[in-house]
Amino acid sequence: MSTSKNSKAAKVTATERRARVAAQREAAKRAEARRTLIRRISIGAGVLVLAGGVVTGAILIHNASGGTTSSTAKGNGIKSVPATPLTAVKGAATSPPWAAPANASARAKAAGLPMLGSEGQVLHIHAHLDIIVDGKAVTVPGNIGIDEAQQQLSPLHTHDTTGVIHIESPTKADFTLGQVMTEWDVALTDKGIGGLKTGGGNQLHVYVDGKEQTGNPGAIKLAAHEEIAIVYGKDTSKVKVPSSYTFAQGE
């Protein structure tokens, strides 16, 4: 009987191990696919297609003063990164988990951001976002701000599920948490996140580098290597709030 139980346990362990390996391989494939997409977008941005005197695609134009602005990206009606960023989040009141939106271009437009043919290099920084609901981490998905079908990306986007927010802009500008959440299509105010509202014992706290913030969380400006944590639930005092994040080398 003991031998039989040990045999079953071994089979379960082996099955779990194979499942973990398969999941890791799948995650690696998805990450490589995203990297390939970014490379393809960057290469494509260097090619200008002239048809009937019309330039298509998103390109970068150097103006007379030596600055750089972004052109209209495939007719989405947005010509450049706004000087004044969105701070009032435009997002859906739904419950977690929250997937990346199906139409990244539409969500970038809602955030007031252009879709570009390559990652901007004038401003290139990274911040990190943690979301904790009822003591459990909520995944920040990859491909926020990346339109794979259109081969375009916003200057504000995610590549994977690490929670790292990439700010890669063709112009110097301020970017906000409000823009991130709008691109993600997740509502956020000081009264709740998504469909989760404060009240009835539920609280919402927002931290930057471990320090609690007050007021509209959408107005928080993103800075290099900044750690933003959104904590929601009844027992928020028991949550260990991260005050920093270890970024990959080069980020």
Side-chain angles (χ1 to χ4, degrees):
M1 182 65 71
S2 177
T3 301
S4 177
K5 287 183 178 180
N6 290 339
S7 177
K8 289 181 180 179
K11 288 181 179 179
V12 170
T13 300
T15 300
E16 291 176 343
R17 186 163 54 249
R18 284 194 295 270
R20 284 197 298 271
V21 171
Q24 291 170 351
R25 287 176 178 171
E26 184 60 29
K29 287 181 180 178
R30 288 196 297 268
E32 179 58 30
R34 281 190 288 272
R35 286 192 291 269
T36 300
L37 170 65
I38 297 301
R39 287 195 296 269
R40 197 160 56 237
I41 289 175
S42 298
I43 293 171
V47 180
L48 303 183
V49 181
L50 299 177
V54 178
V55 180
T56 62
I59 61 174
L60 300 181
I61 303 172
H62 290 273
N63 59 35
S65 64
T68 305
T69 58
S70 59
S71 71
T72 300
K74 291 194 176 179
N76 69 358
I78 301 173
K79 294 184 178 180
S80 62
V81 176
T84 303
L86 177 82
T87 58
V89 177
K90 303 174 182 177
T94 54
S95 299
W98 297 293
N103 191 335
S105 292
R107 295 313 307 168
K109 185 174 182 179
L113 294 171
M115 293 299 278
L116 307 172
S118 64
E119 295 173 314
Q121 299 299 322
V122 174
L123 176 65
H124 189 173
I125 60 175
H126 303 87
H128 186 263
L129 176 62
D130 277 300
I131 296 180
I132 302 170
V133 173
D134 295 329
K136 297 180 180 179
V138 174
T139 299
V140 178
N143 278 3
I144 294 173
I146 296 179
D147 191 326
E148 293 183 326
Q150 296 297 316
Q151 299 286 282
Q152 297 178 324
L153 77 169
S154 163
L156 188 61
H157 56 269
T158 64
H159 288 184
D160 49 36
T161 59
T162 59
V164 173
I165 309 299
H166 295 250
I167 302 99
E168 295 161 352
S169 173
T171 61
K172 286 190 178 297
D174 289 329
F175 292 85
T176 64
L177 180 59
Q179 291 172 314
V180 174
M181 302 305 290
T182 297
E183 283 195 331
W184 191 4
D185 198 15
V186 177
L188 177 67
T189 69
D190 59 349
K191 303 298 183 185
I193 178 170
L196 307 176
K197 306 300 181 184
T198 57
N202 288 307
Q203 302 173 19
L204 179 76
H205 300 276
V206 182
Y207 303 85
V208 173
D209 296 336
K211 297 179 180 179
E212 186 165 6
Q213 308 296 299
T214 59
N216 173 24
I220 293 173
K221 293 180 181 180
L222 305 181
H225 290 182
E226 185 175 64
E227 163 60 32
I228 300 172
I230 301 173
V231 181
Y232 173 88
K234 286 184 169 63
D235 298 322
T236 55
S237 62
K238 297 180 181 179
V239 175
K240 184 178 180 181
V241 177
S243 59
S244 63
Y245 176 77
T246 302
F247 290 83
Q249 186 174 5
E251 283 189 341

